[in-house]
Amino acid sequence: MQKEMNQEASKREKITFKEYFQLGEVWGYFFRKKDPNRPSNINIKMMHGINKISILIFLVGVIYMIIKHWL
């Protein structure tokens, strides 16, 4: 048990600065191809639209906070 906890702690320490700012999953959410096997109805389309708007507003807010802090 203790060995597993030490391994998890060592994995957490190895995260680099670059890994904190990876936006691959965000870009993948916005620019992915349509999956024909995925169900599509108005509720799912509205949900994904609202999610995309929320992500954009959050990123704009983070950028604003960073700029405000450095200027």
Side-chain angles (χ1 to χ4, degrees), residues 6 8 12 18 25 29-30 50 54 64-66:
N6 288 339
E8 289 180 21
R12 279 188 242 133
K18 184 179 178 182
E25 292 184 20
Y29 185 75
F30 281 100
I50 291 170
S54 302
Y64 173 78
M65 296 291 283
I66 290 171

PDB file of all heavy atoms in Angstrom, residues 6 8 12 18 25 29-30 50 54 64-66:
ATOM      1  N   ASN A   6       3.673   5.890  -2.839  1.00  0.00           N
ATOM      2  CA  ASN A   6       4.919   6.528  -3.242  1.00  0.00           C
ATOM      3  C   ASN A   6       5.015   6.635  -4.759  1.00  0.00           C
ATOM      4  O   ASN A   6       5.513   7.615  -5.287  1.00  0.00           O
ATOM      5  CB  ASN A   6       6.125   5.766  -2.686  1.00  0.00           C
ATOM      6  CG  ASN A   6       6.270   5.959  -1.188  1.00  0.00           C
ATOM      7  OD1 ASN A   6       5.754   6.912  -0.627  1.00  0.00           O
ATOM      8  ND2 ASN A   6       6.949   5.024  -0.552  1.00  0.00           N
ATOM      9  N   GLU A   8       2.460   6.850  -6.845  1.00  0.00           N
ATOM     10  CA  GLU A   8       1.532   7.896  -7.271  1.00  0.00           C
ATOM     11  C   GLU A   8       2.104   9.282  -6.990  1.00  0.00           C
ATOM     12  O   GLU A   8       1.963  10.189  -7.799  1.00  0.00           O
ATOM     13  CB  GLU A   8       0.195   7.730  -6.553  1.00  0.00           C
ATOM     14  CG  GLU A   8      -0.590   6.535  -7.030  1.00  0.00           C
ATOM     15  CD  GLU A   8      -1.903   6.387  -6.295  1.00  0.00           C
ATOM     16  OE1 GLU A   8      -2.383   7.388  -5.719  1.00  0.00           O
ATOM     17  OE2 GLU A   8      -2.450   5.280  -6.296  1.00  0.00           O
ATOM     18  N   ARG A  12       3.011  12.313  -9.727  1.00  0.00           N
ATOM     19  CA  ARG A  12       2.528  13.678  -9.626  1.00  0.00           C
ATOM     20  C   ARG A  12       3.666  14.684  -9.691  1.00  0.00           C
ATOM     21  O   ARG A  12       3.509  15.758 -10.214  1.00  0.00           O
ATOM     22  CB  ARG A  12       1.759  13.866  -8.314  1.00  0.00           C
ATOM     23  CG  ARG A  12       0.348  13.356  -8.407  1.00  0.00           C
ATOM     24  CD  ARG A  12      -0.427  13.733  -7.178  1.00  0.00           C
ATOM     25  NE  ARG A  12      -0.829  12.482  -6.560  1.00  0.00           N
ATOM     26  CZ  ARG A  12      -0.709  12.179  -5.282  1.00  0.00           C
ATOM     27  NH1 ARG A  12      -0.211  13.044  -4.447  1.00  0.00           N
ATOM     28  NH2 ARG A  12      -1.101  11.025  -4.827  1.00  0.00           N
ATOM     29  N   LYS A  18       4.945  22.525 -19.070  1.00  0.00           N
ATOM     30  CA  LYS A  18       4.312  22.456 -20.388  1.00  0.00           C
ATOM     31  C   LYS A  18       3.020  21.636 -20.345  1.00  0.00           C
ATOM     32  O   LYS A  18       2.059  21.947 -21.034  1.00  0.00           O
ATOM     33  CB  LYS A  18       5.301  21.852 -21.385  1.00  0.00           C
ATOM     34  CG  LYS A  18       4.801  21.810 -22.800  1.00  0.00           C
ATOM     35  CD  LYS A  18       5.836  21.229 -23.723  1.00  0.00           C
ATOM     36  CE  LYS A  18       5.341  21.141 -25.136  1.00  0.00           C
ATOM     37  NZ  LYS A  18       6.306  20.535 -26.034  1.00  0.00           N
ATOM     38  N   GLU A  25      -7.120  18.614 -25.705  1.00  0.00           N
ATOM     39  CA  GLU A  25      -8.481  18.129 -25.492  1.00  0.00           C
ATOM     40  C   GLU A  25      -9.513  19.217 -25.780  1.00  0.00           C
ATOM     41  O   GLU A  25     -10.593  18.938 -26.292  1.00  0.00           O
ATOM     42  CB  GLU A  25      -8.632  17.622 -24.063  1.00  0.00           C
ATOM     43  CG  GLU A  25      -7.836  16.368 -23.804  1.00  0.00           C
ATOM     44  CD  GLU A  25      -8.066  15.823 -22.409  1.00  0.00           C
ATOM     45  OE1 GLU A  25      -9.084  16.171 -21.789  1.00  0.00           O
ATOM     46  OE2 GLU A  25      -7.212  15.057 -21.957  1.00  0.00           O
ATOM     47  N   TYR A  29     -12.308  19.033 -28.754  1.00  0.00           N
ATOM     48  CA  TYR A  29     -13.748  19.179 -28.517  1.00  0.00           C
ATOM     49  C   TYR A  29     -14.374  20.115 -29.537  1.00  0.00           C
ATOM     50  O   TYR A  29     -15.484  19.882 -30.003  1.00  0.00           O
ATOM     51  CB  TYR A  29     -13.988  19.713 -27.103  1.00  0.00           C
ATOM     52  CG  TYR A  29     -15.447  19.777 -26.722  1.00  0.00           C
ATOM     53  CD1 TYR A  29     -16.143  18.620 -26.411  1.00  0.00           C
ATOM     54  CD2 TYR A  29     -16.126  20.982 -26.695  1.00  0.00           C
ATOM     55  CE1 TYR A  29     -17.468  18.665 -26.063  1.00  0.00           C
ATOM     56  CE2 TYR A  29     -17.458  21.044 -26.351  1.00  0.00           C
ATOM     57  CZ  TYR A  29     -18.133  19.880 -26.030  1.00  0.00           C
ATOM     58  OH  TYR A  29     -19.449  19.933 -25.695  1.00  0.00           O
ATOM     59  N   PHE A  30     -13.672  21.162 -29.914  1.00  0.00           N
ATOM     60  CA  PHE A  30     -14.220  22.131 -30.854  1.00  0.00           C
ATOM     61  C   PHE A  30     -14.116  21.667 -32.305  1.00  0.00           C
ATOM     62  O   PHE A  30     -14.962  22.009 -33.122  1.00  0.00           O
ATOM     63  CB  PHE A  30     -13.509  23.481 -30.711  1.00  0.00           C
ATOM     64  CG  PHE A  30     -13.998  24.279 -29.543  1.00  0.00           C
ATOM     65  CD1 PHE A  30     -13.288  24.295 -28.363  1.00  0.00           C
ATOM     66  CD2 PHE A  30     -15.167  24.989 -29.634  1.00  0.00           C
ATOM     67  CE1 PHE A  30     -13.740  25.026 -27.291  1.00  0.00           C
ATOM     68  CE2 PHE A  30     -15.640  25.727 -28.566  1.00  0.00           C
ATOM     69  CZ  PHE A  30     -14.917  25.737 -27.389  1.00  0.00           C
ATOM     70  N   ILE A  50     -23.859  24.934 -25.616  1.00  0.00           N
ATOM     71  CA  ILE A  50     -23.684  25.652 -24.352  1.00  0.00           C
ATOM     72  C   ILE A  50     -22.321  25.334 -23.750  1.00  0.00           C
ATOM     73  O   ILE A  50     -21.647  26.215 -23.194  1.00  0.00           O
ATOM     74  CB  ILE A  50     -24.830  25.309 -23.381  1.00  0.00           C
ATOM     75  CG1 ILE A  50     -26.125  25.916 -23.905  1.00  0.00           C
ATOM     76  CG2 ILE A  50     -24.529  25.802 -21.969  1.00  0.00           C
ATOM     77  CD1 ILE A  50     -27.366  25.465 -23.169  1.00  0.00           C
ATOM     78  N   SER A  54     -19.413  28.017 -22.847  1.00  0.00           N
ATOM     79  CA  SER A  54     -18.853  28.077 -21.488  1.00  0.00           C
ATOM     80  C   SER A  54     -17.338  27.969 -21.501  1.00  0.00           C
ATOM     81  O   SER A  54     -16.652  28.705 -20.778  1.00  0.00           O
ATOM     82  CB  SER A  54     -19.422  26.941 -20.636  1.00  0.00           C
ATOM     83  OG  SER A  54     -20.807  27.000 -20.568  1.00  0.00           O
ATOM     84  N   TYR A  64      -7.877  37.162 -19.590  1.00  0.00           N
ATOM     85  CA  TYR A  64      -8.050  38.497 -19.018  1.00  0.00           C
ATOM     86  C   TYR A  64      -7.346  38.602 -17.669  1.00  0.00           C
ATOM     87  O   TYR A  64      -6.671  39.596 -17.382  1.00  0.00           O
ATOM     88  CB  TYR A  64      -9.539  38.818 -18.876  1.00  0.00           C
ATOM     89  CG  TYR A  64      -9.803  40.104 -18.133  1.00  0.00           C
ATOM     90  CD1 TYR A  64      -9.643  41.329 -18.777  1.00  0.00           C
ATOM     91  CD2 TYR A  64     -10.202  40.098 -16.803  1.00  0.00           C
ATOM     92  CE1 TYR A  64      -9.876  42.517 -18.102  1.00  0.00           C
ATOM     93  CE2 TYR A  64     -10.429  41.275 -16.122  1.00  0.00           C
ATOM     94  CZ  TYR A  64     -10.270  42.484 -16.771  1.00  0.00           C
ATOM     95  OH  TYR A  64     -10.495  43.645 -16.099  1.00  0.00           O
ATOM     96  N   MET A  65      -7.512  37.591 -16.822  1.00  0.00           N
ATOM     97  CA  MET A  65      -6.879  37.614 -15.497  1.00  0.00           C
ATOM     98  C   MET A  65      -5.355  37.614 -15.613  1.00  0.00           C
ATOM     99  O   MET A  65      -4.673  38.311 -14.869  1.00  0.00           O
ATOM    100  CB  MET A  65      -7.339  36.414 -14.666  1.00  0.00           C
ATOM    101  CG  MET A  65      -8.820  36.415 -14.358  1.00  0.00           C
ATOM    102  SD  MET A  65      -9.280  37.713 -13.225  1.00  0.00           S
ATOM    103  CE  MET A  65      -8.710  37.012 -11.714  1.00  0.00           C
ATOM    104  N   ILE A  66      -4.832  36.842 -16.564  1.00  0.00           N
ATOM    105  CA  ILE A  66      -3.371  36.801 -16.756  1.00  0.00           C
ATOM    106  C   ILE A  66      -2.863  38.167 -17.229  1.00  0.00           C
ATOM    107  O   ILE A  66      -1.875  38.681 -16.716  1.00  0.00           O
ATOM    108  CB  ILE A  66      -2.999  35.688 -17.747  1.00  0.00           C
ATOM    109  CG1 ILE A  66      -3.235  34.319 -17.109  1.00  0.00           C
ATOM    110  CG2 ILE A  66      -1.538  35.814 -18.201  1.00  0.00           C
ATOM    111  CD1 ILE A  66      -3.097  33.150 -18.052  1.00  0.00           C
TER     112      ILE A  66
END
